[in-house]
Amino acid sequence: MSSMVVTANGNDSKKFKGEDKMDGAPSRVLHIRKLPGEVTETEVIALGLPFGKVTNILMLKGKNQAFLELATEEAAITMVNYYSAVTPHLRNQPIYIQYSNHKELKTDNTLNQRAQAVLQAVTAVQTANTPLSGTAVSESAVTPAQSPVLRIIIDNMYYPVTLDVLHQIFSKFGAVLKIITFTKNNQFQALLQYGDPVNAQQAKLALDGQNIYNACCTLRIDFSKLVNLNVKYNNDKSRDYTRPDLPSGDGQPALDPAIAAAFAKETSLLGLPVAAVPGALSPLAIPNAAAAAAAGRVGLPGVSAGGNTVLLVSNLNEEMVTPQSLFTLFGVYGDVQRVKILYNKKDSALIQMADGNQSQLAMNHLNGQKMYGKIIRVTLSKHQTVQLPREGLDDQGLTKDFGNSPLHRFKKPGSKNFQNIFPPSATLHLSNIPPSVAEEDLRTLFANTGGTVKAFKFFQRDHKMALLQMATVEEAIQALIDLHNYNLGENHHLRVSFSKSTI
């Protein structure tokens, strides 16, 4: 079996003559040519990962070439066959993969330290994610390795977070290659791939636990089990910044770019070196009235808070729904100003929120949820306001003005309610419980809404608050509508909201 001992200085042209022939005997060592100048070891390794374990790599930066060694010849054959039918690309540039005429890759590790370090990191990540039976593995053996892919969860997502906002924030730590956003477990999440694991580590250290906007949109960051992302479409949900030629698929814009730009402008990271910003993404202070209007906190004459404030809700249960029930449910995500159930189409309603960001938030969280046995549809309306009925006209109570309601959750700037906005869930957060009310009282109260109480737990330090879990999300929605602001006596009105916790 032939092997080769090479160095990593990129001046080995004589040793690699003969690699140019396209047809060769199968080998677990593959020769990759025409690489982009700035390509990283991680990107080259990622080419081989779907086909099996990568055991060695040699980068020849000066020649725009690399050698990749897989664990088995079968894996290499599968990889070559696949890329014979599908032209591989790195950073929007086609590359060429063929068998090497060497059967084994022996590198001078002292000159190839960076590539070996990346390979060891990837291998350790793979090992850490492989179930081990009958083998004791010390934690230190798997924890030092890091993937170039970060898993990002957004907590307290009061304002929408777009793919472009994530790109601007994370680009401060290195070149962002790919982003995929999705919703899992009722939480907005993203996978973000850097060209280098070191950049991912720096971003995690600097950003984990920081808020994107004032007192909300908290970043929770960890390393992903993945080391390479496969992006099929460039749209508002996913993007491969190395492949601008990708189709857009069926993605629809999730947020008006003007709104995203207004928010992006407010983040203290954007446009400044991270080192120059104490606390990086520390909670924002709205510097002036115009910026406050853009962030949806105040309204100025002639200044839009961004986006339409009116929602169209359809497929309602017209026998059950009332303006009050819609006010209570949609009030979880913003301050509802007016509700109008349509006179000639009573399974539909218009809901006017205090600003465009609240309407976007309500639409994101409530579209597709089940209310009174029917899956409701929530979209932005073409109307800019909800008109009240003309004076003297009886509209059968279908229209109601809630502008001065004392039950608005978000009237006070900096309220803790901004930090506790979550998608509908089976678990409810209860607060403002008087000392005389026991667990059994609350269980009975919520069971009377027609659902099943699965679990209950008082907060250990504060019995004014508790978690209560219904059997389904639909039952929790019903219970919230029926019991938010319920009078428990002793001048205590129950406060009910959705929780991210489980019992």
Side-chain angles (χ1 to χ4, degrees), residues 381-498:
S381 169
K382 64 181 180 181
H383 298 284
Q384 298 300 310
T385 59
V386 171
Q387 298 293 331
L388 294 174
R390 291 192 300 274
E391 191 174 347
L393 181 67
D394 179 16
D395 76 339
Q396 302 176 6
L398 298 177
T399 305
K400 191 161 184 181
D401 189 342
F402 294 97
N404 296 318
S405 172
L407 298 181
H408 287 158
R409 297 178 187 241
F410 308 104
K411 285 190 302 184
K412 297 179 182 178
S415 165
K416 287 185 178 179
N417 291 336
F418 285 105
Q419 303 175 39
N420 294 294
I421 298 173
F422 304 107
S425 64
T427 305
L428 297 169
H429 179 275
L430 314 182
S431 61
N432 205 33
I433 304 169
S436 61
V437 173
E439 174 181 337
E440 204 52 46
D441 298 325
L442 291 168
R443 282 180 171 269
T444 301
L445 182 65
F446 277 78
N448 287 341
T449 64
T452 302
V453 177
K454 302 285 287 186
F456 180 93
K457 182 175 72 173
F458 272 115
F459 278 51
Q460 188 170 359
R461 294 183 180 178
D462 187 357
H463 275 221
K464 294 179 183 177
M465 295 191 291
L467 294 177
L468 183 144
Q469 185 176 337
M470 304 297 289
T472 65
V473 175
E474 182 185 6
E475 289 182 6
I477 289 174
Q478 175 73 55
L480 183 145
I481 291 172
D482 289 351
L483 296 175
H484 178 63
N485 201 44
Y486 183 85
N487 188 353
L488 292 173
E490 302 177 39
N491 201 28
H492 283 69
H493 287 77
L494 184 65
R495 299 289 179 254
V496 186
S497 57
F498 297 114

Side-chain angles (χ1 to χ4, degrees), residues 112-130:
N112 197 31
Q113 287 179 341
R114 177 183 171 83
Q116 295 302 312
V118 173
L119 181 60
Q120 289 173 15
V122 171
T123 302
V125 169
Q126 289 178 311
T127 304
N129 295 321
T130 303

Side-chain angles (χ1 to χ4, degrees), residues 265-447:
K265 190 175 181 181
E266 290 301 320
T267 57
S268 55
L269 256 187
L270 305 184
L272 291 173
V274 172
V277 183
L281 285 177
S282 54
L284 305 176
I286 304 297
N288 55 50
R297 297 302 177 83
V298 299
L300 295 178
V303 178
S304 168
N308 196 348
T309 63
V310 181
L311 296 168
L312 172 63
V313 187
S314 57
N315 201 40
L316 294 165
N317 184 330
E318 58 185 274
E319 295 180 1
M320 300 284 291
V321 72
T322 65
Q324 183 64 47
S325 63
L326 292 171
F327 166 77
T328 303
L329 178 57
F330 281 74
V332 174
Y333 301 105
D335 293 337
V336 176
Q337 303 300 298
R338 294 175 180 176
V339 176
K340 182 184 186 71
I341 296 175
L342 303 186
Y343 186 82
N344 293 321
K345 191 173 172 51
K346 291 186 174 62
D347 67 346
S348 299
L350 295 175
I351 299 177
Q352 183 174 337
M353 309 295 288
D355 63 54
N357 306 303
Q358 294 181 5
S359 62
Q360 184 78 38
L361 190 69
M363 181 175 69
N364 289 347
H365 285 318
L366 294 177
N367 181 42
Q369 295 292 343
K370 210 169 187 181
M371 178 183 182
Y372 297 131
K374 301 191 73 173
I375 296 174
I376 63 173
R377 300 297 174 205
V378 185
T379 59
L380 292 175
S381 169
K382 64 181 180 181
H383 298 284
Q384 298 300 310
T385 59
V386 171
Q387 298 293 331
L388 294 174
R390 291 192 300 274
E391 191 174 347
L393 181 67
D394 179 16
D395 76 339
Q396 302 176 6
L398 298 177
T399 305
K400 191 161 184 181
D401 189 342
F402 294 97
N404 296 318
S405 172
L407 298 181
H408 287 158
R409 297 178 187 241
F410 308 104
K411 285 190 302 184
K412 297 179 182 178
S415 165
K416 287 185 178 179
N417 291 336
F418 285 105
Q419 303 175 39
N420 294 294
I421 298 173
F422 304 107
S425 64
T427 305
L428 297 169
H429 179 275
L430 314 182
S431 61
N432 205 33
I433 304 169
S436 61
V437 173
E439 174 181 337
E440 204 52 46
D441 298 325
L442 291 168
R443 282 180 171 269
T444 301
L445 182 65
F446 277 78

Side-chain angles (χ1 to χ4, degrees), residues 173-290:
F173 300 90
V176 174
L177 305 184
K178 305 171 185 178
I179 304 177
I180 297 173
T181 63
F182 56 96
T183 300
K184 183 178 181 182
N185 299 328
N186 286 327
Q187 283 188 307
F188 178 85
Q189 302 189 26
L191 293 170
L192 183 146
Q193 180 178 341
Y194 281 104
D196 193 314
V198 174
N199 301 134
Q201 182 181 25
Q202 291 171 341
K204 180 183 184 302
L205 289 173
L207 298 178
D208 188 26
Q210 299 287 350
N211 294 326
I212 298 177
Y213 306 124
N214 187 26
C216 65
C217 298
T218 306
L219 293 164
R220 303 296 180 198
I221 305 172
D222 210 338
F223 293 103
S224 171
K225 297 177 182 179
L226 303 171
V227 292
N228 184 50
L229 300 180
N230 181 24
V231 177
K232 296 181 179 180
Y233 303 111
N234 284 338
N235 53 36
D236 64 295
K237 303 295 183 189
S238 63
R239 198 162 302 162
D240 185 335
Y241 295 94
T242 70
R243 295 284 311 279
D245 59 310
L246 289 178
S248 61
D250 297 325
Q252 297 296 325
L255 182 64
D256 186 330
I259 304 174
F263 284 128
K265 190 175 181 181
E266 290 301 320
T267 57
S268 55
L269 256 187
L270 305 184
L272 291 173
V274 172
V277 183
L281 285 177
S282 54
L284 305 176
I286 304 297
N288 55 50

